[in-house]
């Protein structure tokens, strides 16, 4: 199985998750304070928030996991976010409600991520699923299977 097929399976899983109706006043625009770091984590942020919201809300614990993952991605890209940028990202995570339409561009970016980037995203997705203490068997099984398949790709490489 190739990395592209695994990304496709991940995309299918995220796309199949139910999303609650959009509340009034949703935030869609990426904050100008964060534009320099958008390429480092924007596509992971959309993906992880869609996973977090599939149960109807994004718990504080889930947002903290996503924030940590985004900060790690920025650091790995050579960007150290300032306190102002970290605050802007935290505020954005609180208000942003990604739509399925935003997942398309994020998915295109995921296809260009490295194997390590995808492993990191799957690990973050697992932490998001576990963060609020509500574990849905389907999510757990899917992420475990995806992690196992990624490990098999490691063994082949």
């Amino acid at each position: 199985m190739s990395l592209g097929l695994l990304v496709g399976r991940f995309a299918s899983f995220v796309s199949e998750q139910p999303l609650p109706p959009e509340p009034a006043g949703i935030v869609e625009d990426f904050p100008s304070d964060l534009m320099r770091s958008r390429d480092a984590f924007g596509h992971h942020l959309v993906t992880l928030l869609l996973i977090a919201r599939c149960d109807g809300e994004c718990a504080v614990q889930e947002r903290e996991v996503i924030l940590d993952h985004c900060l790690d991605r920025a650091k790995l890209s050579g960007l150290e976010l300032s306190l102002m940028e970290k605050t802007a990202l935290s505020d954005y995570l609180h208000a942003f409600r990604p739509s399925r339409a935003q997942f398309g561009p994020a998915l295109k970016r995921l296809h260009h991520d490295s194997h390590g980037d995808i492993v990191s995203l799957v690990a973050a997705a697992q932490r998001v699923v576990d963060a609020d203490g509500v574990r849905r068997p389907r999510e757990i099984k899917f992420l475990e299977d995806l992690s196992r398949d990624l490990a098999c790709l490691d063994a082949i490489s």
Side-chain angles (χ1 to χ4, degrees), residues 83-155:
L83 181 58
M84 183 179 76
E85 289 171 314
K86 289 176 185 177
T87 301
L89 179 56
S90 180
D91 291 346
Y92 184 62
L93 284 171
H94 185 71
F96 180 50
R97 304 290 186 270
S99 66
R100 291 205 196 285
Q102 291 168 306
F103 186 55
L107 179 59
K108 286 180 184 175
R109 291 283 317 279
L110 288 175
H111 276 287
H112 297 289
D113 274 0
S114 70
H115 178 79
D117 292 337
I118 299 301
V119 168
S120 172
L121 176 61
V122 170
Q126 184 68 57
R127 290 190 306 274
V128 167
V129 166
D130 291 339
D132 66 355
V134 179
R135 303 184 85 204
R136 284 180 223 63
R138 183 172 177 259
E139 293 171 335
I140 301 302
K141 176 157 179 22
F142 174 77
L143 291 169
E144 286 173 354
D145 290 348
L146 198 59
S147 294
R148 185 190 64 245
D149 291 344
L150 282 166
C152 288
L153 279 178
D154 278 342

Side-chain angles (χ1 to χ4, degrees), residues 2 6 13 16 18 24 28 30 41:
S2 73
L6 289 177
F13 177 78
E16 292 168 1
E28 290 190 19
F30 204 76
F41 57 74

Side-chain angles (χ1 to χ4, degrees), residues 7-114:
V7 170
R9 279 185 32 210
F10 192 70
S12 293
F13 177 78
V14 171
S15 296
E16 292 168 1
Q17 300 308 304
L19 288 180
E22 297 297 335
I26 48 175
V27 173
E28 290 190 19
D29 293 333
F30 204 76
S32 58
D33 294 350
L34 297 173
M35 290 309 275
R36 76 179 186 102
S37 58
R38 182 181 189 171
D39 285 343
F41 57 74
H43 57 303
H44 284 219
L45 183 144
V46 167
T47 304
L48 293 172
L49 276 172
L50 284 170
I51 290 170
R53 287 192 59 232
C54 71
D55 64 353
E57 64 179 299
C58 184
V60 172
Q61 302 91 326
E62 292 169 322
R63 284 195 303 270
E64 288 172 0
V65 168
I66 297 168
L67 176 64
D68 289 344
H69 178 75
C70 291
L71 294 174
D72 288 345
R73 296 264 320 150
K75 193 172 190 172
L76 287 171
S77 296
L79 300 171
E80 191 68 40
L81 272 61
S82 69
L83 181 58
M84 183 179 76
E85 289 171 314
K86 289 176 185 177
T87 301
L89 179 56
S90 180
D91 291 346
Y92 184 62
L93 284 171
H94 185 71
F96 180 50
R97 304 290 186 270
S99 66
R100 291 205 196 285
Q102 291 168 306
F103 186 55
L107 179 59
K108 286 180 184 175
R109 291 283 317 279
L110 288 175
H111 276 287
H112 297 289
D113 274 0
S114 70

